[in-house]
Amino acid sequence: RTPRPVSVSCSCLRSTVSRYHYWHRVRRRATEPQPTALDLLHVTTIQVASDTYKMALLNVGTVIGGWLVISTVGSLYLKSTISATSMVGMLLGNPVAMALLFFNYLNIFIALCEIALGRHAELIKKDYLALKEQFKGKEWDGCLAFLLMPLSVGQIFDMKTWSKMWTTYALYDPSYQNTEAFGFFIDVGNGWSTIPPSVLLNYAIIYGPSGSAGDAITPLLVGCVSIASLWQITYGTIIYFLSFIWNRRYQGFRAGEIWTFVGISNSCWIIFPAVGIWACVQLLRDGTFDVFA
């Protein structure tokens, strides 16, 4: 029997070894846990994130936008039906009522996220340490990666999903991963305490002017409760701004990023509550819900 050439034997051996390594990798991948959508937040650059998320229609940004549009427009439609006014007239006729409806639904959403901040403080601290390294010098990319993070329907209702908001915000303000900081406690407190007043005020805006709010929902009740809640929100935001500036947490970041991510976003919790306090003063002065008509 003629022996095979050495080159042929080596070729067969390399082929056998290659097949072994291939099937070994296949079996190893099958047993490894697959990354979830939340894990995809930990990417090195936003380019990687955009390639991953470009086909995801259901993501953090669209969920937030969808909630605000559906809740605000739905309330305005309900209000227009009760008062026999067209939607166009409702949108253009009373910007105060529309602005407060929008803000209260925004505040309800953020309040739920603030509850998640308190419930998952340790997870936020752990994730922050990872994101800090991943997005060092590219914090804005981290924010965009979070907004573009794809979600399943189940993840929308998972508090851990929305705790990622604070992991990302901590890239600009690390106090949110510190359970001893003022910002942490004021936001967790607002989360638990401001949802009922927001619901009460929206109910009064929708049903109050038509007289269908019920005898228990009076201008006195709505005015007093709402002023207390709105001032709490305003005062907490002012103190937070002062804390942020006093401790110079803006250092190391571009001015545009700080103005947008910290300044403009938090200013909503001063401007809209100021409008709400003005409206509540009218409630107490007039004793009617006409300011929302």
Side-chain angles (χ1 to χ4, degrees):
R1 184 177 180 182
T2 303
R4 292 184 179 183
V6 174
S7 60
V8 174
S9 300
C10 290
S11 176
C12 293
L13 179 61
R14 284 196 298 269
S15 177
T16 302
V17 171
S18 297
R19 287 196 296 270
Y20 169 78
H21 283 299
Y22 170 76
W23 288 111
H24 177 71
R25 288 195 300 270
V26 170
R27 287 194 298 270
R28 185 177 62 185
R29 289 173 182 171
T31 58
E32 287 179 348
Q34 298 300 308
T36 64
L38 292 180
D39 296 328
L40 292 176
L41 181 58
H42 303 285
V43 293
T44 55
T45 66
I46 196 61
Q47 182 62 43
V48 175
S50 63
D51 290 343
T52 304
Y53 305 146
K54 61 185 178 182
M55 297 301 294
L57 296 178
L58 187 63
N59 56 44
V60 169
T62 57
V63 168
I64 296 174
W67 160 255
L68 293 175
V69 171
I70 292 172
S71 58
T72 304
V73 174
S75 294
L76 288 172
Y77 175 77
L78 181 59
K79 182 175 173 64
S80 68
T81 302
I82 295 171
S83 61
T85 306
S86 66
M87 275 292 291
V88 175
M90 192 59 61
L91 289 170
L92 302 178
N94 195 328
V96 170
M98 184 178 68
L100 291 179
L101 283 171
F102 171 83
F103 171 73
N104 284 331
Y105 285 122
L106 173 63
N107 186 67
I108 289 170
F109 174 80
I110 296 299
L112 292 172
C113 295
E114 290 168 337
I115 293 173
L117 170 65
R119 290 188 60 184
H120 299 292
E122 292 303 317
L123 175 63
I124 292 169
K125 184 180 298 186
K126 178 182 176 182
D127 285 351
Y128 164 73
L129 295 176
L131 282 190
K132 183 181 178 181
E133 295 301 320
Q134 293 285 345
F135 291 105
K136 189 174 184 179
K138 299 175 291 186
E139 289 80 10
W140 188 256
D141 293 352
C143 300
L144 293 178
F146 171 70
L147 289 174
L148 296 173
M149 185 176 70
L151 299 176
S152 66
V153 174
Q155 287 169 333
I156 294 175
F157 302 98
D158 187 348
M159 282 287 190
K160 290 183 179 179
T161 300
W162 304 107
S163 72
K164 296 288 183 182
M165 175 184 294
W166 307 109
T167 305
T168 306
Y169 192 88
L171 293 174
Y172 286 98
D173 185 355
S175 67
Y176 276 84
Q177 54 84 41
N178 180 6
T179 54
E180 298 179 358
F182 171 82
F184 174 88
F185 271 99
I186 189 65
D187 274 8
V188 173
N190 282 345
W192 286 103
S193 62
T194 62
I195 292 178
S198 295
V199 173
L200 175 66
L201 183 55
N202 276 5
Y203 182 86
I205 292 172
I206 296 170
Y207 293 99
S210 65
S212 54
D215 295 337
I217 308 301
T218 64
L220 178 62
L221 172 67
V222 175
C224 289
V225 171
S226 297
I227 282 180
S229 178
L230 292 168
W231 173 244
Q232 169 189 321
I233 294 171
T234 305
Y235 178 75
T237 307
I238 293 172
I239 295 299
Y240 169 72
F241 273 141
L242 293 175
S243 172
F244 187 87
I245 296 170
W246 181 269
N247 292 288
R248 299 183 179 182
R249 298 192 188 111
Y250 53 82
Q251 290 184 338
F253 301 106
R254 292 187 292 269
E257 294 183 13
I258 293 298
W259 276 109
T260 302
F261 197 71
V262 178
I264 295 176
S265 63
N266 283 283
S267 293
C268 293
W269 274 262
I270 295 177
I271 297 171
F272 284 102
V275 174
I277 290 173
W278 173 85
C280 290
V281 170
Q282 313 309 307
L283 292 181
L284 297 175
R285 183 195 64 188
D286 301 336
T288 69
F289 291 109
D290 289 346
V291 67
F292 300 138

